[in-house]
């Protein structure tokens, strides 16, 4: 506990909070940090942890309390201004909102300040609010200024000007989903459904859902503009080292717009990546079936449940996504992947077959490989082989396809010379892949060329010391060369990570050698 702690109870609370934090139990950690801060109310070390955990848990009262301590100590991080801005805009306290924007100047978030001020000016009735964003001192500022200038022009009734600038910007970045959604909602509110639908044309499921639920759009306001600004930035940061800032931005966006499911998705992703899967699942469960983000929320839930080790729930959710109305090939393919991971190979093959029917045009080599691989693992080799051959025909330079077909034939004693040639080609394409090196090494063993086999098998074993198959192959090769001690050493290494069936076979080799 830091030396600033001044009561014994705060030490126990702090230790409890750290343990809960490490376990990803954000609500318990937040409560315990709150207790520690109550026992040591001027301790900035406790306060910074309480601030971060409170934001993760959604305890904004504790977050604000912690911010006050950090500000008093002069060590408040720059992102505390985000929460201050959200609080001020929510309260329509425009002076406080501008003050929070000013606090961002000369810091990493300085590009947000002008945008916040422009939306405040709009809500105060300034018809020229968009002009406040004519310039930007950096590439990042120019990008955010340009996007929000478009939204402000549309919100202020200058729809033709806004749409013209929107088309120019989308011409350079048509994949800007957030900008398209935000602009369409404002256009619909302005009575321009025709333009709104043109902006959100395409087969993306969020855009499709928005076209179905466009209605009267969204009324423009500072709360709308600032919340969408925060969500837009959070989406850029959720995967990187700035994830704590994405959490702050997500919470601030939801404070301004509790119905912002886009922010909810981003926040759940950030929390899950930080190990707080339970809290992330709670957030995703809040996304209702009528939300335009309902489908992405279900897909995200599959990922979060998988990260959390909840295999059964993850598989059930993946099945629901794959069979839902409007589900595409990727959804069914993901379900197939999870069935493979669960060892349900026959069902996985069926899922891949359904995915192939959903592909526009002809399925690619990956789906042929996946379906063939699932059938092969299900013991249905006669059905698998033509699919694997099709995968190789479609992608003759893909090492993974060459390796799968070549090795599958080799272990069955089929087309041995052709299989060996495939594996030689695969190694040339991916010389550093341990699994492929092992496959070719084993092909050489099977054809009696131990001299060429050993360097490949030894290299593969060094690269993947925990791979049961690679270590067993190495042990078998050593035994054939009469190097019995080394053979048993490799078999023991394989036994460390072997499942019950492999372990029984390896035990026999260790006791009696190869027969």
């Amino acid at each position: 506990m830091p030396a600033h702690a001044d009561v014994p109870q705060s030490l126990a609370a702090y230790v409890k909070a750290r343990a809960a934090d490490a376990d990803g139990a954000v609500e318990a950690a937040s409560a315990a940090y709150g207790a520690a801060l109550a026992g040591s109310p001027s301790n900035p070390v406790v306060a910074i942890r309480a601030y971060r955990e409170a934001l993760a848990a959604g305890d904004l009262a504790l977050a604000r309390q912690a911010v006050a301590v950090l500000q008093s100590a002069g060590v408040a991080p720059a992102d505390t201004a985000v929460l201050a801005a959200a609080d001020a805009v929510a309260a329509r306290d425009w002076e406080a909102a501008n003050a929070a924007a000013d606090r961002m100047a000369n810091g990493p978030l300085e590009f947000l300040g002008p945008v916040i001020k422009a939306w405040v000016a709009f809500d105060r009735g300034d018809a020229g609010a968009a002009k406040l964003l004519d310039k930007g001192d950096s590439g990042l500022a120019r990008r955010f200024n340009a996007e929000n200038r478009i939204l402000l022009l549309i919100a202020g009734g200058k729809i033709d000007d806004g749409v013209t600038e929107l088309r120019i910007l989308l011409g350079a970045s048509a994949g800007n989903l957030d900008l398209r959604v935000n602009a369409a909602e404002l256009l619909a509110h302005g009575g321009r459904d025709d333009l709104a639908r043109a902006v959100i044309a395409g087969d993306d499921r969020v855009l499709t859902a928005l076209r179905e639920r466009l209605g009267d759009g969204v009324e423009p306001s500072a709360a709308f503009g600032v919340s969408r600004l925060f969500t837009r930035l959070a989406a850029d940061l959720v995967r990187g080292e700035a994830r704590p800032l994405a959490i702050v931005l997500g919470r601030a966006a939801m404070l301004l717009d509790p119905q912002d499911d886009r922010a909810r998705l981003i926040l759940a992703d950030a929390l899950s990546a930080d190990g707080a899967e339970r809290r992330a699942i709670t957030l995703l469960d809040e996304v209702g079936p009528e939300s335009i983000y309902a489908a992405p929320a279900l897909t995200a839930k599959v990922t979060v449940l998988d990260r959390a080790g909840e295999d059964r729930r993850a598989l059930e959710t993946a099945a629901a996504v794959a069979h839902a109305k409007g589900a595409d090939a990727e959804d069914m393919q993901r379900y197939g992947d999870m069935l493979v991971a669960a060892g349900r190979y026959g069902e996985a093959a069926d899922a891949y077959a359904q995915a192939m029917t959903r592909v526009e045009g002809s399925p690619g080599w990956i789906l042929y490989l996946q379906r063939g691989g699932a059938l092969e693992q299900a013991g249905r080799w006669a059905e698998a082989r033509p699919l694997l051959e099709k995968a190789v025909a479609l992608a003759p330079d893909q090492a993974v396809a060459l390796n799968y077909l070549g090795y599958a034939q080799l272990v069955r004693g089929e087309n041995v010379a052709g299989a060996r040639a495939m594996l030689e080609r695969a190694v040339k394409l991916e010389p550093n892949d341990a699994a492929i090196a092992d496959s070719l090494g084993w092909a050489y063993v099977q054809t009696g060329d131990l001299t060429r086999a050993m360097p490949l098998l030894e290299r593969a074993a060094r690269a993947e010391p925990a791979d049961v198959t690679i270590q067993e192959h190495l042990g078998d090769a050593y035994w054939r060369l009469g190097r019995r001690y080394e053979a048993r050493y490799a078999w023991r290494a394989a036994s460390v990570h072997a499942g019950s069936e492999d372990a029984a076979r390896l035990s026999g080799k260790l006791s009696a050698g190869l027969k």
Side-chain angles (χ1 to χ4, degrees):
M1 182 68 175
H4 296 83
D6 41 34
V7 292
Q9 290 86 349
S10 66
L11 174 59
Y14 185 81
V15 171
K16 182 179 179 181
R18 292 297 300 273
D21 190 351
D23 193 40
V26 293
E27 288 87 354
S30 177
Y33 279 129
L37 190 60
S40 184
S42 61
N43 188 331
V45 178
V46 176
I48 188 61
R49 292 188 178 276
Y51 170 64
R52 295 292 178 205
E53 209 65 32
L55 288 168
D59 187 345
L60 296 184
L62 176 59
R64 295 181 186 104
Q65 179 188 350
V67 168
V69 174
L70 295 169
Q71 288 176 333
S72 179
V75 293
D79 60 39
T80 58
V82 170
L83 182 58
D87 278 335
V89 171
R92 301 183 63 82
D93 184 342
W94 305 133
E95 280 69 30
N98 284 330
D102 286 336
R103 281 175 51 198
M104 297 176 186
N106 302 317
L109 302 177
E110 55 85 21
F111 62 95
L112 295 180
V115 181
I116 293 171
K117 287 187 172 184
W119 278 106
V120 167
F122 169 81
D123 219 327
R124 299 179 87 167
D126 186 345
K131 293 182 179 179
L132 298 174
L133 301 178
D134 283 350
K135 298 179 180 179
D137 295 331
S138 67
L140 193 60
R142 286 191 291 273
R143 174 159 65 92
F144 278 86
N145 283 5
E147 292 181 9
N148 282 274
R149 173 184 161 83
I150 289 166
L151 298 178
L152 283 163
L153 285 169
I154 296 171
K158 297 180 179 179
I159 290 176
D160 290 339
D161 292 342
V163 170
T164 298
E165 293 191 20
L166 176 63
R167 285 172 175 158
I168 293 170
L169 193 58
L170 290 180
S173 179
N176 193 331
L177 178 67
D178 290 309
L179 178 58
R180 293 171 73 187
V181 168
N182 296 338
E185 290 178 331
L186 292 177
L187 286 165
H189 182 77
R192 295 302 305 271
D193 281 20
D194 56 333
L195 291 174
R197 293 183 183 281
V199 167
I200 54 176
D203 57 4
D204 181 278
R205 274 180 287 180
V206 171
L207 301 182
T208 300
L210 181 55
R211 289 196 300 273
E212 294 173 354
R213 302 169 175 81
L214 193 57
D216 296 329
V218 177
E219 182 177 1
S221 66
F224 167 87
V226 177
S227 70
R228 301 305 173 91
L229 167 68
F230 290 163
T231 300
R232 175 79 174 87
L233 179 57
D236 288 345
L237 302 176
V238 69
R239 292 293 180 184
E241 294 181 0
R243 194 161 51 240
L245 176 55
I247 293 173
V248 178
L249 290 160
R251 281 293 177 204
M254 289 173 60
L255 169 66
L256 289 166
D257 181 4
Q259 305 306 313
D260 187 350
D261 285 335
R262 171 71 166 148
R264 194 166 272 106
L265 283 172
I266 294 166
L267 182 56
D269 191 6
L271 291 173
S272 173
D274 255 0
E277 288 92 357
R278 282 170 286 180
R279 185 59 183 167
I281 291 168
T282 299
L283 282 167
L284 293 171
D285 284 340
E286 294 173 1
V287 180
E290 295 304 312
S291 170
I292 64 172
Y293 294 102
L298 272 177
T299 301
K301 191 173 178 181
V302 173
T303 302
V304 174
L305 287 167
D306 193 40
R307 282 177 184 167
E310 296 195 35
D311 299 340
R312 181 184 60 79
R313 289 183 64 195
L315 194 57
E316 289 174 352
T317 307
V321 172
H323 293 98
K325 178 184 177 182
D328 59 16
E330 185 178 347
D331 295 319
M332 188 58 74
Q333 189 174 13
R334 185 185 304 107
Y335 179 46
D337 294 346
M338 297 190 71
L339 286 166
V340 167
R344 293 162 60 175
Y345 303 116
E347 294 170 78
D350 292 341
Y352 292 134
Q354 290 184 59
M356 294 172 86
T357 67
R358 296 181 182 181
V359 174
E360 292 186 13
S362 301
W365 68 271
I366 292 176
L367 272 171
Y368 279 102
L369 176 64
Q370 288 182 308
R371 186 181 173 200
L375 287 167
E376 186 269 337
Q377 289 177 286
R380 295 157 62 181
W381 172 241
E383 297 171 72
R385 180 169 177 168
L387 294 165
L388 297 173
E389 290 173 337
K390 179 70 171 179
V392 170
L394 290 172
D397 293 327
Q398 289 294 333
V400 65
L402 292 164
N403 180 59
Y404 202 117
L405 177 58
Y407 185 77
Q409 290 180 323
L410 178 73
V411 297
R412 290 171 173 82
E414 298 179 9
N415 185 31
V416 173
R420 176 169 156 168
M422 271 187 255
L423 294 171
E424 287 172 338
R425 178 165 175 73
V427 167
K428 287 180 181 178
L429 290 166
E430 293 289 346
N432 297 318
D433 189 301
I436 296 175
D438 170 73
S439 295
L440 179 57
W442 191 241
Y444 288 143
V445 171
Q446 295 297 88
T447 54
D449 195 344
L450 290 169
T451 301
R452 297 176 72 182
M454 293 312 301
L456 289 161
L457 294 175
E458 288 174 336
R459 188 178 82 204
R462 286 193 299 271
E464 295 291 344
D467 189 292
V468 176
T469 299
I470 290 175
Q471 293 294 341
E472 184 175 7
H473 283 170
L474 179 61
D476 290 1
Y478 278 142
W479 187 272
R480 285 178 168 85
L481 286 170
R483 296 162 64 175
R484 306 301 169 81
Y485 176 81
E486 291 162 292
R488 286 193 166 91
Y489 185 89
W491 289 333
R492 287 192 184 93
S495 299
V496 172
H497 300 282
S500 56
E501 184 177 340
D502 291 336
R505 184 180 62 256
L506 288 162
S507 177
K509 290 182 179 182
L510 283 166
S511 61
L514 289 179
K515 297 179 181 179

